[in-house]
Amino acid sequence: MKSRENIPKATIERLPLYYRCLDKMDTFEEVEVVSSKDLGGKLGIPSTQVRKDLSYYGEFGRRGVGYNVNELKTSVGKILGVDRIWPAVLAGAGHLGHALVNYKTFTTMGFEITHVLDNDSTKIGTKINERQVEDIKKMEAIIKENEIKLGVISVPTEAAQDVADQMVAAGIKAIWNFAPTRLYVPDDVDVKNEDLAVGIVSLIYNLSWQEMEAKGE
Amino acid sequence: MKSRENIPKATIERLPLYYRCLDKMDTFEEVEVVSSKDLGGKLGIPSTQVRKDLSYYGEFGRRGVGYNVNELKTSVGKILGVDRIWPAVLAGAGHLGHALVNYKTFTTMGFEITHVLDNDSTKIGTKINERQVEDIKKMEAIIKENEIKLGVISVPTEAAQDVADQMVAAGIKAIWNFAPTRLYVPDDVDVKNEDLAVGIVSLIYNLSWQEMEAKGE
């Protein structure tokens, strides 16, 4: 395996796609062997890129035969760290929080929201699936007691930094942030911003160009 | 302006970040002039990269002075196509659909969910904000009548392809897909997959490596 620093970011970002696809083939389609061409084809990734991506992590598959689906899924899962379930706290039990707790495929990606927190007294005590919404005042204690490293933020923008600060102080090392604002955290804490409004813009950009081209501008 | 094909994808993906940041400075902070260093600093992007990204689209700003915030925001907005509001239909009025309709910053990004559709009779007729949930059977008529080009899918995975097919048949050219499945659409239709489970994995990957390194593996 190459040292971590030498692996391109784009490769790392494709690993979850391979994993998800292999998991489906293994669990639902009972496929035993897959070629890099077929695996890439399902994801819109060239087979040469599939082979290159996987080669960073060792030798998988056999030339002319392909990859054993279950073995490759297990290997990629280990690389990704999804061969165990990471518990996570979620702050913010609004509609987005609900949607996240209900999201079925998180556990196959190695992650489970084990605690849901909110500061709204009308929400505290209610249940989302089997999870009871707890008072956000208990967040520090919950994180420490359960040694949780992952935090998910789906609170309003103006509260996000404050919640992040509390999470970091309690020991959270990775924050998945759905509030459309940049969070300031220490260097050893990893933040992934899931800014939903940014996601749409590439589509609008393309629509806009299509229209300009149609008009001959 | 360079021809569209010659602009790197990474540059296009950073434009919404610049736009969002400029919009905040212009609207809320009343900043008049910003340097590439300050703009980049707010986003964690090197100033050289900021200048290079913007240079693809023309000449902005003055050396040693900086960019006029309002002018640059207007220019970047035009490039992105967010200087108008694109109407969109949303299929699936569950918690995620609710969260999307409620998402406040979409309109500043040039996009508004104008119609919400579902097939659940207990949801049809109820309201999300000011939007009444309509019967998904009316989708084709609504898309055609309002000349809508943008569709958002937040239905369960097993229904997503069917909804996408109906959208495409009615004239949708860009689909923002929240169902964790790949959609098959004609070449002239653009799909952006917002697979939430994939977003978390880079965080888990990093957490997992941190632990391995801490253990000295």
Side-chain angles (χ1 to χ4, degrees), chain A residues 4 57 84 190 206 211, chain B residues 4 84 190 205-206 211:
Chain A
R4 190 185 174 200
Y57 297 97
R84 48 179 277 196
D190 198 10
N206 288 335
E211 262 201 10
Chain B
R4 189 183 176 202
R84 48 179 278 196
D190 197 10
Y205 179 87
N206 288 335
E211 262 201 10

Side-chain angles (χ1 to χ4, degrees), chain B residues 15-181:
Chain B
L15 290 181
L17 304 177
Y18 297 139
Y19 181 77
R20 164 67 61 85
C21 192
L22 290 161
D23 183 48
K24 268 191 200 157
M25 282 192 277
D26 187 44
T27 312
F28 300 111
E29 298 164 18
E30 293 176 19
V31 178
E32 283 182 27
V33 175
V34 68
S35 65
S36 52
K37 191 167 167 243
D38 286 348
L39 179 56
K42 283 173 187 278
L43 297 164
I45 298 169
S47 60
T48 49
Q49 187 67 60
V50 173
R51 290 196 295 275
K52 197 172 177 200
D53 285 342
L54 295 174
S55 73
Y56 287 109
Y57 297 96
E59 286 194 31
F60 304 104
R62 282 167 58 199
R63 185 173 288 271
V65 178
Y67 304 102
N68 177 298
V69 172
N70 182 271
E71 280 175 25
L72 186 61
K73 172 190 139 181
T74 306
S75 301
V76 175
K78 271 190 195 159
I79 295 164
L80 286 170
V82 300
D83 55 333
R84 48 179 278 196
I85 300 287
W86 296 80
V89 286
L90 170 88
H95 284 293
L96 183 58
H98 256 85
L100 292 171
V101 175
N102 286 334
Y103 212 74
K104 282 172 198 150
T105 44
F106 283 152
T107 48
T108 68
M109 300 307 265
F111 147 76
E112 188 180 355
I113 294 169
T114 53
H115 294 83
V116 182
L117 306 156
D118 206 292
N119 68 351
D120 180 345
S121 60
T122 65
K123 284 179 187 153
I124 295 165
T126 62
K127 279 194 172 181
I128 304 179
N129 278 355
E130 257 100 86
R131 304 261 165 266
Q132 186 148 1
V133 179
E134 295 172 272
D135 191 332
I136 201 155
K137 284 183 191 141
K138 294 184 191 161
M139 185 163 71
E140 191 182 338
I142 288 169
I143 291 169
K144 286 184 175 167
E145 197 180 310
N146 299 282
E147 295 183 0
I148 296 173
K149 301 289 174 217
L150 251 176
V152 185
I153 295 182
S154 62
V155 300
T157 306
E158 54 278 15
Q161 183 64 51
D162 191 35
V163 168
D165 291 344
Q166 291 175 43
M167 284 183 172
V168 170
I172 290 291
K173 292 294 176 198
I175 295 177
W176 198 15
N177 174 36
F178 285 85
T181 186

Side-chain angles (χ1 to χ4, degrees), chain A residues 3 19 58 129 140:
Chain A
S3 82
Y19 182 77
N129 279 353
E140 189 182 338

Side-chain angles (χ1 to χ4, degrees), chain A residues 1-2 4-5 7 12-13 15-17 20 24 41-44 57 78-82 84 86 95-96 98-100 102-103 105-106 109-111 149-150 152 173-176 178-182 184 188 190-192 194-211 213, chain B residues 1-2 4-5 7 12-13 15-17 20 24 41-44 57 78-82 84 86 95-96 98-100 102-103 105-106 109-111 149-150 152 173-176 178-182 184 188 190-192 194-211 213:
Chain A
M1 198 185 289
K2 286 227 176 191
R4 190 185 174 200
E5 289 73 26
I7 300 170
I12 296 167
E13 288 174 350
L15 290 181
L17 305 177
R20 165 68 62 86
K24 270 191 198 154
K42 283 173 188 278
L43 297 164
Y57 297 97
K78 269 190 197 163
I79 294 164
L80 285 169
V82 300
R84 48 179 277 196
W86 296 80
H95 283 294
L96 183 58
H98 256 85
L100 293 170
N102 286 335
Y103 213 75
T105 43
F106 283 152
M109 299 307 264
F111 148 75
K149 301 289 174 215
L150 252 177
V152 184
K173 292 294 175 199
I175 295 176
W176 197 16
F178 285 83
T181 186
R182 192 184 181 200
Y184 295 87
D188 67 333
D190 198 10
V191 175
K192 162 105 181 149
E194 207 70 54
D195 187 341
L196 295 176
V198 168
I200 191 75
V201 176
S202 65
L203 286 175
I204 291 176
Y205 178 88
N206 288 335
L207 273 181
S208 177
W209 280 85
Q210 268 183 30
E211 262 201 10
E213 281 167 355
Chain B
M1 198 186 290
K2 287 229 176 189
R4 189 183 176 202
E5 290 71 27
I7 299 171
I12 297 167
E13 289 175 348
L15 290 181
L17 304 177
R20 164 67 61 85
K24 268 191 200 157
K42 283 173 187 278
L43 297 164
Y57 297 96
K78 271 190 195 159
I79 295 164
L80 286 170
V82 300
R84 48 179 278 196
W86 296 80
H95 284 293
L96 183 58
H98 256 85
L100 292 171
N102 286 334
Y103 212 74
T105 44
F106 283 152
M109 300 307 265
F111 147 76
K149 301 289 174 217
L150 251 176
V152 185
K173 292 294 176 198
I175 295 177
W176 198 15
F178 285 85
T181 186
R182 192 184 180 199
Y184 294 88
D188 68 333
D190 197 10
V191 175
K192 163 104 180 148
E194 206 71 54
D195 186 341
L196 295 176
V198 168
I200 190 75
V201 175
S202 64
L203 285 175
I204 291 176
Y205 179 87
N206 288 335
L207 273 181
S208 176
W209 280 84
Q210 268 183 29
E211 262 201 10
E213 281 167 356

Side-chain angles (χ1 to χ4, degrees), chain A residues 164-183:
Chain A
D165 291 343
Q166 290 175 42
M167 284 182 171
V168 170
I172 290 291
K173 292 294 175 199
I175 295 176
W176 197 16
N177 174 37
F178 285 83
T181 186
R182 192 184 181 200
L183 298 177

Side-chain angles (χ1 to χ4, degrees), chain A residues 59-80:
Chain A
E59 287 194 30
F60 303 104
R62 281 168 57 196
R63 185 174 286 272
V65 178
Y67 303 103
N68 177 298
V69 172
N70 181 272
E71 279 175 24
L72 185 61
K73 171 190 141 183
T74 306
S75 300
V76 175
K78 269 190 197 163
I79 294 164
L80 285 169

